Amino acid sequence: MRTRTILLASLMIMMTLTPLATADYEKEIEQGKEFNEPAVFDFPAKTLDSVGPRVDTGASGRAACPAVQTDGGTAGDSGNTSATAKSLGTDPTNGPSGVSGCVDSADPEDLYSITTTAGKEVDVELVVPTGADFDLYLVDATKTTFYDYSEYNDPLEQVSTAGTVLEGNATTFYVFINAYSGDGQYTLRVWTNNSTPKPDMTISMVEAPLKAQAGDSVAVNYTVENLANNSTATTGAFDVFFILSTDTSYDASDTILDDVSVEADLAAGASRNTSTTVTIPINITNDSYHWIIWADGYGNITESDELNNNMASPDKMVIGNDCKDLVGATQNDAGLGADAGNDQANATNMGNNITATYTGCMDGSDGDDIYAFDVPSGYFMEVQLDAEDQTSDLDVFIHFSNGSEVDRGYTSSYPETATAKLTDYEGVGGTYYINVTHYSGLSNYTLDVWTNQSIPAPDYTIDTVTSAGSGIPGDSFDVTAVLENEGTVDGVANVALTAILSVNTG
């Protein structure tokens, strides 16, 4: 590596009263595939809305609370952290009289701890003074997890552990009072009750055919369990939904079938295997889908855990044709007489210093075709992937034998290309893995592979830059840069460098 110190520039700071125009140095990054956040399914779990709690520490300009407060019925202020919060005790009940407290502009937040034993649920009410807007939350010790909240119901805000992960558990949580606007004395009421045993439905097995056509009727097998351990926690009758998804998580782009299975009551600790015939929508897009089976899809049953009601099939079902239909026989990826391996351990080594063209087929049940290539030292790989069906979406990756990704072709159009040139692996000998992977659709593909000799070239980097620490408009000063050549050959005698004055490091 060669190093050269260069007087980069002598600069004069020029300032005018008009705004400076700034060059747009932000590179446009090619947008790849969009991944939607999973939508919240229709069940009655207590969750935050899309914008979250409206915690705001603003209050009116006056300080309505006395200098010595008696929050929670004892002398002193109840702090706003878990360390300074006052305790309301274990399994407390103080309603309907409750305890008093105060929040104002100088003290807009009060926090109280509550400890529950097993089998309990807690209801909390906050009586808000006239003209004020206080909010009420159930939170964890860090005030970052919100179990329940009430914000727009003044003068009476109400929250409960019922239907949350707190219900029935021996735990400690916190009542968080926040003065959104206004100030004054409040009343805090708490009731601890025996929690009602609730069922807990989950899906533990899903099986379906591996192939079908749009409009077909197919049998879907699944097992639903009630994980509750209290004999009174039966489910009652409930509905089971059937969903087709290209991945294992439900979101708004997935297809909910019209078919709904009405299940009979399931006892606590019991399970039931069911086979239901459902009809695949005639207008569904040909692709590969997981079956997601969702117990109590309408959310009619109150459960101890509302977040474990679904399961996706481990295998995908191809709707439409697959590679066997397309090739008319057994797959013959890259002339191997079979489907190419789908991981590095089962990848076929195609040889050393290879430049060749291969053909293969990819569908959703296939997922990955991986080939191994040995590359001599001083050479690098380049690949190009094209598809017979341009509406499909196949991608290509290059990985080194240590598992590191070298490059990828990961767009929504063809040809997809990837190369080791100008990466840390250019000229590095070893075994490389080319992975043709499925995103959507079905197609025969063509894979072009080149092993090229790495061309020696310089590689300039700036190691350090030093200049005056400050200046005023009109000053002249020197900027010195250390230029390094990390390439494989010497650089040219003269290198042009550009100095840019910026308010940040970008």
Side-chain angles (χ1 to χ4, degrees), residues 62-345:
R62 63 187 176 89
C65 298
V68 179
Q69 297 187 41
T70 56
D71 289 347
T74 59
D77 173 49
S78 188
N80 62 358
T81 69
S82 59
T84 59
K86 286 190 175 184
S87 173
L88 295 178
T90 299
D91 297 337
T93 293
N94 61 29
S97 57
V99 295
S100 62
C102 189
V103 285
D104 61 16
S105 61
D107 173 31
E109 298 179 356
D110 282 347
L111 201 66
Y112 297 91
S113 67
I114 292 178
T115 298
T116 54
T117 56
K120 303 295 183 180
E121 65 179 49
V122 178
D123 299 320
V124 183
E125 291 184 349
L126 177 68
V127 181
V128 181
T130 302
D133 184 357
F134 297 172
D135 298 324
L136 181 63
Y137 307 90
L138 298 183
V139 298
D140 67 353
T142 65
K143 296 193 297 188
T144 57
T145 298
F146 291 76
Y147 302 109
D148 194 16
Y149 67 104
S150 178
E151 297 176 330
Y152 300 101
N153 300 302
D154 304 288
L156 185 65
E157 304 285 1
Q158 297 173 304
V159 293
S160 176
T161 64
T164 75
V165 296
L166 300 174
E167 181 184 0
N169 291 319
T171 187
T172 296
F173 59 93
Y174 295 83
V175 176
F176 176 23
I177 299 169
N178 178 70
Y180 185 77
S181 66
D183 40 40
Q185 297 281 337
Y186 59 78
T187 299
L188 185 65
R189 303 168 177 167
V190 179
W191 292 266
T192 300
N193 306 299
N194 292 324
S195 61
T196 303
K198 296 178 177 62
D200 181 14
M201 286 178 283
T202 191
I203 302 294
S204 58
M205 184 276 291
V206 180
E207 291 180 344
L210 297 179
K211 186 180 176 184
Q213 300 290 332
D216 283 357
S217 293
V218 298
V220 180
N221 304 314
Y222 59 90
T223 300
V224 60
E225 298 184 30
N226 180 1
L227 302 179
N229 55 18
N230 189 301
S231 61
T232 63
T234 59
T235 65
F238 60 93
D239 301 300
V240 173
F241 282 11
F242 301 87
I243 303 166
L244 287 170
S245 174
T246 56
D247 56 28
T248 58
S249 299
Y250 171 78
D251 61 40
S253 65
D254 295 337
T255 301
I256 303 175
L257 274 63
D258 292 334
D259 299 277
V260 176
S261 176
V262 180
E263 298 274 339
D265 180 45
L266 188 62
S271 64
R272 181 165 57 229
N273 297 321
T274 303
S275 179
T276 301
T277 299
V278 297
T279 301
I280 299 171
I282 192 65
N283 58 346
I284 196 169
T285 301
N286 285 348
D287 209 333
S288 299
Y289 296 89
H290 292 277
W291 284 95
I292 297 178
I293 308 303
W294 204 301
D296 190 31
Y298 286 120
N300 293 326
I301 310 300
T302 301
E303 301 179 62
S304 59
D305 186 351
E306 301 281 5
L307 302 180
N308 64 344
N309 285 35
N310 71 88
M311 178 183 179
S313 60
D315 299 317
K316 281 187 169 183
M317 180 180 73
V318 175
I319 297 180
N321 293 331
D322 59 13
C323 281
K324 290 182 180 179
D325 297 314
L326 203 60
V327 302
T330 303
Q331 284 185 243
N332 188 27
D333 293 340
L336 300 176
D339 179 33
N342 61 0
D343 54 35
Q344 291 187 9

Side-chain angles (χ1 to χ4, degrees), residues 5-18:
T5 302
I6 300 173
L7 179 63
L8 182 57
S10 291
L11 299 180
M12 177 176 290
I13 303 176
M14 301 299 293
M15 301 290 291
T16 69
L17 295 178
T18 58

Side-chain angles (χ1 to χ4, degrees), residues 454-472:
S454 182
I455 300 175
D459 182 11
Y460 297 118
T461 63
I462 300 295
D463 181 65
T464 58
V465 177
T466 57
S467 65
S470 62
I472 60 175

